Amino acid sequence: MPHTAPQRPPFPRLDDATEQLQTRILRQVGQTISDYGLIEAGDKVMVCLSGGKDSYGLLDFLLVLQRRAPIRFDLVAVNLDQKQPGFPAHILPEYLTSVGIPFHIEERDTYSIVKRLIPEGQTTCSLCSRLRRGHLYRVATELGATKIALGHHRDDILETLLLNLLFTGKLKTMPPKLRSKDGRHLVIRPLAAVREADLARYAEQRAFPIIPCDLCGSQEDLKRKQAKAFLREWEHRVPGCTDSMFAALSNVAPSLMLDRQLFDFSSLHLEKAQEGDEDAWLDQDGARV
C-alpha cells in the first residue's frame, strides 16, 4: 500500500526565470494532455519516479496541473528500488513526503537478475527496462491506477524514431499514449513535447535531489548516444531541423509512403480529369518539377 502523505504544503515561491520556464513547459504539457486525452476526470495517475531530472519534472508539473485543472484526478508516485549498489534509498521517500504526495516504493532485486544474465561489458539497459516495466504494470494494478505516467521527453521520442529508422527498418517511436499489449494498462507521456534541455535547466533551478542513473555500472546504450549526438549536430548545423522532425510525426501522409497496410495502392487508378485540372498536381505539397 502507498504511504499516505501529510497535508500538501504550498508550492514554493519561484524566481522570475524559473516561473517563466515552468509556465512555458506547463503550456506544452497541458496541450499534450488535451490533444491526446492523457488524463481524464476521475483518473488515478501512477507517476513513475526514477530520481532523474525527467521524472522529477514530470511529477512537479502534474502536481501543479492537479491544483489548476478543471477536472479532479489523483496522483501516486511509485519508485522501483532495483537494489543497485549504492542506491540512496532515503532520498525519494524524504522528497515525496516533503511535497505531500502519496507514494509507494517497490523493492525488487532486478539488479542481480540482470548481472546474472547479461555478459560483462554488454549493455544491461534493455533487459533492465523490460523487468522494470513488468513490475510497474503489476504495481499499477495493485494500486488501482488508471494511467501510468512516464517521463520520456521530445528528445527521447526523436532518438527512438532515428534508432528504429536506422536499425530496425520500422518507422515508429514512443507515442504520447499507449495501451499495453494485454490491454490492461494505459501508458502516458505528458512530457512528449518538452525539450530535454528545458527539463535539465528546470531541474537545476528547482534543485531536485537527483539520483545518478549509472549506479549499476552500465552506460547508456551506445546507439542511443550516437542518435543523440547525430540530432545535436544537425540541430547545430541546421537550427530548427529537430522541430521539423517532431512536427512530421503529427503530419503523416500515408499515400506518400510505402506501407500497403496504411494505404490501398492496388486500388489506385486513373480518374477522368476535368478540364482545367491538368496541372493540379503541381499545387500538391511536396510536388517537384
Side-chain angles (χ1 to χ4, degrees):
M1 297 296 293
H3 294 265
T4 302
Q7 184 175 3
R8 189 170 299 173
F11 285 118
R13 183 175 180 83
L14 305 178
D15 60 72
D16 290 344
T18 304
E19 186 173 5
Q20 290 176 7
L21 180 59
Q22 184 192 69
T23 298
R24 177 157 57 84
I25 295 177
L26 281 172
R27 188 179 302 116
Q28 295 170 332
V29 172
Q31 190 65 54
T32 299
I33 290 174
S34 175
D35 288 347
Y36 296 95
L38 301 190
I39 298 177
E40 301 164 291
D43 268 339
K44 183 174 184 178
V45 182
M46 185 179 102
V47 185
C48 298
L49 199 66
S50 66
K53 68 182 189 311
D54 306 328
S55 59
Y56 272 122
L58 171 64
L59 177 61
D60 200 68
F61 301 131
L62 290 180
L63 284 169
V64 176
L65 290 175
Q66 186 184 42
R67 293 189 176 184
R68 298 180 182 178
I71 61 171
R72 180 186 177 89
F73 62 91
D74 294 323
L75 297 173
V76 57
V78 170
N79 168 254
L80 178 60
D81 181 351
Q82 300 176 266
K83 297 305 176 183
Q84 297 168 337
F87 182 78
H90 64 285
I91 288 182
L92 289 175
E94 290 176 359
Y95 175 78
L96 294 169
T97 300
S98 72
V99 298
I101 181 175
F103 67 91
H104 172 73
I105 307 296
E106 181 73 9
E107 297 185 3
R108 296 285 169 173
D109 189 3
T110 61
Y111 172 81
S112 296
I113 297 174
V114 170
K115 284 300 183 181
R116 186 175 72 249
L117 297 178
I118 302 296
E120 190 69 30
Q122 292 189 18
T123 181
T124 61
C125 299
S126 179
L127 176 58
C128 182
S129 177
R130 291 198 300 274
L131 293 172
R132 184 169 60 246
R133 183 167 58 247
H135 285 303
L136 291 174
Y137 282 173
R138 175 181 52 77
V139 172
T141 299
E142 293 172 355
L143 297 180
T146 57
K147 305 283 174 59
I148 301 172
L150 303 180
H152 296 124
H153 45 69
R154 196 190 80 149
D155 296 61
D156 289 324
I157 290 173
L158 290 179
E159 290 160 17
T160 302
L161 172 68
L162 191 60
L163 288 169
N164 280 312
L165 183 65
L166 296 177
F167 300 109
T168 71
K170 295 180 180 179
L171 195 57
K172 69 174 187 177
T173 186
M174 299 184 294
K177 190 176 186 179
L178 178 70
R179 184 170 56 199
S180 62
K181 291 182 179 179
D182 62 9
R184 299 173 57 195
H185 303 285
L186 283 174
V187 175
I188 61 173
R189 297 182 171 97
L191 302 181
V194 183
R195 291 175 172 82
E196 182 178 18
D198 286 340
L199 290 169
R201 186 152 58 96
Y202 186 75
E204 182 179 358
Q205 292 173 349
R206 295 282 280 112
F208 294 137
I210 303 297
I211 298 174
C213 63
D214 58 353
L215 292 174
C216 60
S218 175
Q219 297 300 313
E220 186 181 19
D221 183 73
L222 178 59
K223 289 180 180 177
R224 182 167 290 276
K225 281 188 173 182
Q226 292 172 334
K228 184 186 291 290
F230 178 91
L231 291 170
R232 187 183 298 117
E233 178 187 351
W234 271 94
E235 180 64 26
H236 177 73
R237 294 170 60 180
V238 187
C241 69
T242 55
D243 291 334
S244 182
M245 286 180 64
F246 188 73
L249 292 172
S250 302
N251 190 22
V252 180
S255 66
L256 301 180
M257 304 292 281
L258 279 70
D259 193 333
R260 290 171 293 166
Q261 297 184 65
L262 295 180
F263 189 79
D264 186 7
F265 292 96
S266 62
S267 65
L268 194 63
H269 301 292
L270 291 174
E271 292 183 358
K272 185 176 181 181
Q274 301 293 321
E275 187 175 351
D277 288 343
E278 293 84 355
D279 296 326
W281 66 274
L282 289 173
D283 297 327
Q284 296 179 3
D285 291 342
R288 300 179 64 183
V289 295

